[in-house]
Amino acid sequence: MLKDTERNPIMQLTRYTDYSLRTLLYLHSLDNDKTVTINEVADFYNISRNHLMKVAYNLSQKGYVKSIRGKGGGIKLARPGSEITVGQVVRDMEPNLHVAECFDQDAKTPCTIISNCALIPVLHEATNLFMSALDRYTLETLMQNKPEWMPIVIKPSKS
Amino acid sequence: MLKDTERNPIMQLTRYTDYSLRTLLYLHSLDNDKTVTINEVADFYNISRNHLMKVAYNLSQKGYVKSIRGKGGGIKLARPGSEITVGQVVRDMEPNLHVAECFDQDAKTPCTIISNCALIPVLHEATNLFMSALDRYTLETLMQNKPEWMPIVIKPSKS
């Protein structure tokens, strides 16, 4: 078997994207205009505050959240949840959408048949289907579709 | 930004699966019953012989290839290419199909809302669509559908 380091799991969102989605869902679950601290989100999910600072910074850069400075400051959604699709967050936060090493021009061992490999269109088709599913859901529909899904998500702690 | 090691790409096949598919496509492109050495496949794709040995061993364990020992030995397909789907190879070769860390019971930081997260069914739906695309193609249809796809794949070197 190859070593674990050589076996990145298929179709795994980066932790970065995972935390981005969790943060946005948390913010969307709050009353309008409520600002929360990074600490509150980190505590709620029991994840690293340090990682979450970076996630929040990037969400802010991409226009998903506003950062409010000073006393009572923190982060809040910059756009309505109805305008934020899961697919767009994944596209903005994932470093790349290469299904296989062969798509990566910077790969250490570029595939010698990249220019005419029969697998590539199949993997593209599969990736497009994957993303099309994520494009169908916004933060709002994730919360609204409660009856269709599991009982929803986030009960933020009082802060 | 998180460090690179924390940012595994989304939907990336492991190198292990990538090499498995390349090997099977190579074998399928040969005349019936031709046996090739690991070296030939490794040389063709310019990839590590050592990695490919492990890949071939696992393909053999899973019944995709036969190993022939001795002089003139090597590997060959154990089943017709028409019976080998890309989806099945991916399922057999990928270590897991977790889309996000939250699906992984062994994750270092299990998500606190795993039991009622609205994202999970969406990610499952997306993964199922991804896999359903791969299930539609066999080694044989990959080769047969030449006109629909890019000019096909593999011109094995004479050995």
Side-chain angles (χ1 to χ4, degrees):
Chain A
M1 299 289 281
L2 299 187
K3 283 177 287 186
D4 276 351
T5 51
E6 295 166 313
R7 296 166 61 85
N8 300 316
I10 187 178
M11 294 184 297
Q12 183 166 43
L13 297 179
T14 61
R15 187 181 299 171
Y16 201 78
T17 304
D18 185 7
Y19 290 179
S20 301
L21 287 166
R22 292 191 206 184
T23 301
L24 292 174
L25 276 170
Y26 188 90
L27 294 175
H28 182 65
S29 74
L30 303 172
D31 293 337
N32 276 348
D33 288 332
K34 190 166 184 307
T35 299
V36 297
T37 62
I38 302 289
N39 279 347
E40 181 179 332
V41 184
D43 286 349
F44 179 76
Y45 288 114
N46 192 27
I47 57 184
S48 151
R49 179 179 176 280
N50 190 37
H51 283 176
L52 213 51
M53 290 284 286
K54 296 167 186 165
V55 167
Y57 175 77
N58 211 11
L59 286 173
S60 161
Q61 294 293 103
K62 298 284 186 183
Y64 291 106
V65 307
K66 278 185 208 161
S67 290
I68 316 291
R69 292 178 183 276
K71 200 184 167 196
I75 56 172
K76 58 196 272 190
L77 280 191
R79 295 186 247 160
S82 59
E83 295 175 13
I84 298 176
T85 66
V86 177
Q88 196 55 53
V89 176
V90 168
R91 284 191 187 81
D92 279 344
M93 295 299 160
E94 285 294 315
N96 70 61
L97 294 172
H98 300 139
V99 183
E101 187 180 54
C102 54
F103 290 165
D104 184 358
Q105 296 298 315
D106 301 325
K108 283 183 199 154
T109 56
C111 181
T112 50
I113 61 166
I114 178 73
S115 63
N116 59 355
C117 173
L119 268 173
I120 289 179
V122 174
L123 294 175
H124 273 305
E125 179 186 343
T127 304
N128 287 341
L129 283 171
F130 183 91
M131 293 306 301
S132 71
L134 302 189
D135 285 335
R136 284 198 288 274
Y137 297 93
T138 66
L139 297 186
E140 188 166 278
T141 54
L142 278 181
M143 307 294 262
Q144 277 177 345
N145 287 347
K146 241 174 161 174
E148 275 185 74
W149 305 110
M150 304 177 197
I152 280 300
V153 178
I154 292 171
K155 305 268 182 227
S157 57
K158 303 286 179 197
S159 67
Chain B
M1 301 289 281
L2 300 187
K3 283 177 286 185
D4 275 351
T5 50
E6 296 167 312
R7 297 167 59 86
N8 300 316
I10 187 178
M11 295 183 298
Q12 183 166 44
L13 298 178
T14 60
R15 188 182 300 170
Y16 201 77
T17 305
D18 185 6
Y19 289 179
S20 300
L21 287 166
R22 293 191 206 182
T23 301
L24 292 174
L25 276 170
Y26 188 89
L27 293 176
H28 182 65
S29 74
L30 303 173
D31 293 337
N32 276 349
D33 288 330
K34 189 165 183 310
T35 301
V36 297
T37 62
I38 302 290
N39 279 347
E40 180 179 331
V41 184
D43 287 349
F44 179 76
Y45 288 115
N46 192 26
I47 57 186
S48 152
R49 180 180 175 280
N50 191 37
H51 283 177
L52 213 53
M53 289 285 286
K54 296 167 186 166
V55 166
Y57 175 78
N58 211 11
L59 286 173
S60 161
Q61 293 294 103
K62 298 283 187 184
Y64 291 107
V65 305
K66 280 185 208 161
S67 290
I68 315 291
R69 292 177 183 274
K71 198 183 166 195
I75 55 174
K76 58 197 270 189
L77 281 190
R79 293 186 247 160
S82 59
E83 296 175 12
I84 298 175
T85 67
V86 177
Q88 197 55 52
V89 176
V90 168
R91 283 189 186 83
D92 279 342
M93 295 298 160
E94 286 294 314
N96 71 62
L97 292 173
H98 301 139
V99 183
E101 186 180 53
C102 55
F103 291 164
D104 185 358
Q105 297 297 316
D106 301 324
K108 282 183 198 154
T109 56
C111 181
T112 51
I113 61 165
I114 178 73
S115 63
N116 59 354
C117 173
L119 268 174
I120 288 179
V122 174
L123 294 175
H124 273 305
E125 179 185 341
T127 303
N128 288 341
L129 284 172
F130 182 90
M131 292 306 301
S132 71
L134 302 190
D135 285 335
R136 283 198 288 275
Y137 296 93
T138 65
L139 297 186
E140 188 166 278
T141 54
L142 279 180
M143 308 293 264
Q144 277 176 345
N145 287 349
K146 240 173 161 174
E148 274 184 75
W149 306 108
M150 304 178 198
I152 283 297
V153 179
I154 293 169
K155 303 270 182 228
S157 57
K158 304 287 179 196
S159 67

